[in-house]
Amino acid sequence: CVPSSTTQRPHSSRMPRTTPQPLLALAAALLSVASAQTPSAGVPSDVKHIRCETCESLVSAAHRRFAELRKGSKKALSEEDAMSVVETVCDPEADGGAWLRSLDLQEQGRRLRLVKQAEDGPCGVECATLRLACQALMEEGWENELGEALYGAVDADELAESACREWSSACRKPAPKLDPARPAGPPFR
């Protein structure tokens, strides 16, 4: 004989539990706040349209940043210092990647262009897209060449030519045209 306190009800007679509406509303509100505090995600499908200009901009920014460090330093900089610049060039929160916050992606006809703004803005979706493009370029494996060239004080235009057409394929052919159905990006800021 089994005591009545251990008798189990069959599972089929149980009603499914539902989450109360106030709890669902609270969860939605928390998710909304959390997503507002996380960095914006970039648009991976836009990267192919901005590879060349991003390459040229990142090389120019790295060159400018290393020149600033060289000018402000009382001691000779090392190749390791140049590599530190290269390592931060795609990070919009680092000094080396600040250039990412000053560019706006603008649709011009069926092309997507990088347009320098007078002031830095927050790193929203367009900045995050630029970061994706920058990271993809650096993942091609030419960061050592870039660091060596910065350390060797190669001219900025010559460096961009080598980096974006020889070490990378970013500027070897024109960027594809934008899909006419692509929605316009947000305004800068």
Side-chain angles (χ1 to χ4, degrees):
C1 190
V2 177
S4 64
S5 63
T6 60
T7 307
Q8 295 181 351
R9 292 184 181 149
H11 291 312
S12 61
S13 67
R14 293 177 109 179
M15 294 291 292
R17 288 188 168 186
T18 59
T19 306
Q21 289 294 10
L23 191 55
L24 286 175
L26 177 62
L30 288 174
L31 284 173
S32 171
V33 168
S35 67
Q37 293 174 346
T38 57
S40 295
V43 181
S45 59
D46 281 351
V47 169
K48 65 184 173 236
H49 299 285
I50 59 172
R51 278 176 43 87
C52 181
E53 285 185 85
T54 301
C55 184
E56 293 169 340
S57 294
L58 87 83
V59 169
S60 175
H63 191 277
R64 188 173 42 258
R65 178 71 184 139
F66 193 67
E68 289 168 0
L69 291 175
R70 189 176 262 155
K71 186 176 181 179
S73 178
K74 294 182 180 184
K75 64 176 182 78
L77 296 180
S78 67
E79 193 168 334
E80 188 174 296
D81 295 321
M83 289 307 297
S84 291
V85 169
V86 172
E87 289 168 4
T88 63
V89 77
C90 296
D91 179 359
E93 302 308 315
D95 288 340
W99 64 277
L100 294 162
R101 297 189 314 266
S102 69
L103 293 173
D104 185 28
L105 299 181
Q106 294 182 0
E107 298 80 7
Q108 294 179 359
R110 298 228 12 231
R111 300 280 182 209
L112 195 55
R113 299 286 183 217
L114 278 58
V115 179
K116 176 91 169 118
Q117 301 298 300
E119 295 182 21
D120 290 356
C123 192
V125 69
E126 292 183 345
C127 168
T129 302
L130 286 163
R131 180 181 58 223
L132 288 174
C134 184
Q135 290 169 337
L137 289 162
M138 291 287 88
E139 288 171 4
E140 291 178 354
W142 48 273
E143 64 276 357
N144 289 336
E145 288 88 344
L146 181 56
E148 290 170 7
L150 292 173
Y151 178 69
V154 174
D155 174 73
D157 292 335
E158 182 182 331
L159 181 54
E161 181 70 25
S162 294
C164 303
R165 286 175 177 73
E166 294 172 24
W167 306 335
S168 171
S169 62
C171 297
R172 289 185 193 159
K173 59 183 182 178
K177 292 183 178 181
L178 287 174
D179 182 343
R182 178 191 174 275
F188 188 74
R189 286 239 173 234

